[in-house]
Amino acid sequence: MKLYDINDVKELDRQEVKKLYSDYVNPGLASMIGLLNFDRVYVRAKGAYVWDKEGEKYIDFLGAYGAINLGHNPDEVIDVLKEVFERPNLLQATINPFAAALGANLSNIAPQGLKHSFFCNSGAEAVEGALKTARAATGRKKIISCEGSFHGKTFGALSATGRTKYQGPFMPLVPEFERVPYGDIKALEEKLKNRDVAGFIVEPIQGEGGVIVPPSGYLKRARELCTEYGTLLIVDEIQTGFGRTGKMFACQHEGITPDIMCVAKSLGGGVMPIGAFITRDEVWERAYGGFDKSLLHTSTFGGNTFACAAAIASINAIVKKNLSERAEKLGNYFLEGLKSLKDRYSIIKEVRGKGLLIGIEFEQPKSGILNTITGGAVNKFYGEFTGAIVAGELLNKHKIITAYTLNNPNVIRLEPPLIIEKEDIDYALNALEDILSKNSGFLNITVNAAKTVFGSIFSKK
């Protein structure tokens, strides 16, 4: 029997890692990652940069989907963890002081009126808890979410997620879930007016939907409608929170307070997994108030010492460094540069975002002879892989890490750590211009990507 230890892992080369992952974890994912030469072995990370085993330096413009707002391995978080390693991490027969303090900190930085927090381990768990809380607090069953949304892949979160691709194999999902078009206030009111909806869950900006920014005033009006019809407003700030969009939380751009707010990702400083949902006092009391109901929703690892300590350090660092303001300024600069590229290159359909959560959507090719010959396969290919192709070019030619959005693979996201430097943004803009100027059409980009694919395949034989 072979059991790997840490020193063994450190010595694994690229092919050994891929084989082990393919044999014992997820073979399909291993093949997909390897196809465009993404399967590098990274051995060091700091700030906005990572280094592979060959010593090559990369700029991380993916930012772990918003989980490393402070960058990789921030000293502020690592140092705090060193201070608490002798404390009991899991001890349920008491009240954890770190969870208590973290709850106070979250309430202080959250939209005014949010008070009680439940701690868990991920964004999907935070969503699950929020959905359960909405039903318990209202006595209603129906949940409304938005088309194109992404709230996670556990059963309740998946039932709210707005893409059938991820739902189909797991049907039937949790009943009483319905969806409305994102940004459509009339459709939302139509669902709420029967006064049977427990909660409306919404992202202030749809991340996986393709970085979709709703119309101005959408969240404010949704808040008013939820209040009018007795529905709890659940705002999913898992990707948009902790300074990402230029405010501590994106819903603060419209000055609203939800009834329940979900957070995760950068809450743990990019070091520890932790999520939470935070509620108004009256919502908590209706759902979990008193002895009898205080243990209705629990988590073994939720609120553990190490995770809470990391979260305390993360919040303090984000506030001290004023990363919200930094994200706003650098985001405006980045968006201006990207929109300038859009004006010059027709392949870019739209640039959108807020702060340092930015998406670039690419045009679909016009139907031509090649698409006709292939029975529509060419257009279908671009519809699913344009973002991946451009991300591959950025990685393989310019050592910039990006990815496409899950619900709209024709969009690449630019979501760097909030400590990114202006010079790095300039480098990314120049890299995109280099790719677009040398590849004026879809076919040229595809040919270059194909070279990468074949080179990747044959170099690993």
Side-chain angles (χ1 to χ4, degrees), residues 34-227:
L35 195 60
L36 284 176
N37 213 22
F38 275 43
D39 57 332
R40 290 159 168 78
V41 177
Y42 298 104
V43 297
R44 187 161 70 92
K46 196 67 182 175
Y49 313 110
V50 295
W51 289 261
D52 67 18
K53 206 162 187 177
E54 287 70 45
E56 296 284 354
K57 180 182 177 182
Y58 301 77
I59 307 176
D60 187 353
F61 271 84
L62 180 57
Y65 313 122
I68 55 168
N69 289 3
L70 284 168
H72 291 277
N73 300 322
D75 291 337
E76 301 93 335
V77 179
I78 299 295
D79 290 344
V80 163
L81 286 174
K82 291 176 182 177
E83 291 183 30
V84 301
F85 271 147
E86 291 189 358
R87 295 259 189 166
N89 188 37
L90 297 172
L91 188 60
Q92 275 76 16
T94 186
I95 297 174
N96 190 332
F98 291 90
L102 176 57
N105 284 359
L106 267 179
S107 182
N108 284 331
I109 65 169
Q112 188 173 9
L114 291 176
K115 184 178 181 182
H116 296 285
S117 289
F118 177 90
F119 299 115
C120 51
N121 309 285
S122 68
E125 286 182 60
V127 168
E128 293 285 343
L131 298 174
K132 288 175 65 179
T133 301
R135 285 184 169 179
T138 64
R140 301 175 178 180
K141 297 179 180 179
K142 190 176 293 185
I143 302 290
I144 305 298
S145 61
C146 291
E147 295 171 4
S149 64
F150 186 88
H151 299 290
K153 293 178 180 174
T154 50
F155 258 104
L158 184 60
S159 301
T161 288
R163 193 178 185 202
T164 55
K165 173 180 178 178
Y166 300 118
Q167 297 173 324
F170 308 107
M171 293 292 189
L173 296 177
V174 180
E176 303 286 353
F177 278 72
E178 298 178 12
R179 293 194 290 275
V180 294
Y182 186 58
D184 189 334
I185 282 294
K186 289 183 178 179
L188 175 61
E189 184 168 17
E190 191 65 27
K191 292 289 187 182
L192 299 184
K193 68 182 183 181
N194 289 332
R195 299 181 182 272
D196 60 350
V197 176
F200 170 52
I201 183 168
V202 62
E203 299 159 280
I205 297 173
Q206 285 192 337
E208 303 303 338
V211 191
I212 306 297
V213 181
S216 178
Y218 173 63
L219 287 181
K220 186 175 182 180
R221 184 60 182 140
R223 168 70 282 175
E224 292 169 351
L225 289 175
C226 285
T227 300

Side-chain angles (χ1 to χ4, degrees), residues 368-380:
I369 185 65
L370 189 58
N371 191 59
T372 301
I373 292 171
T374 59
V378 169
N379 278 19
K380 183 178 179 181

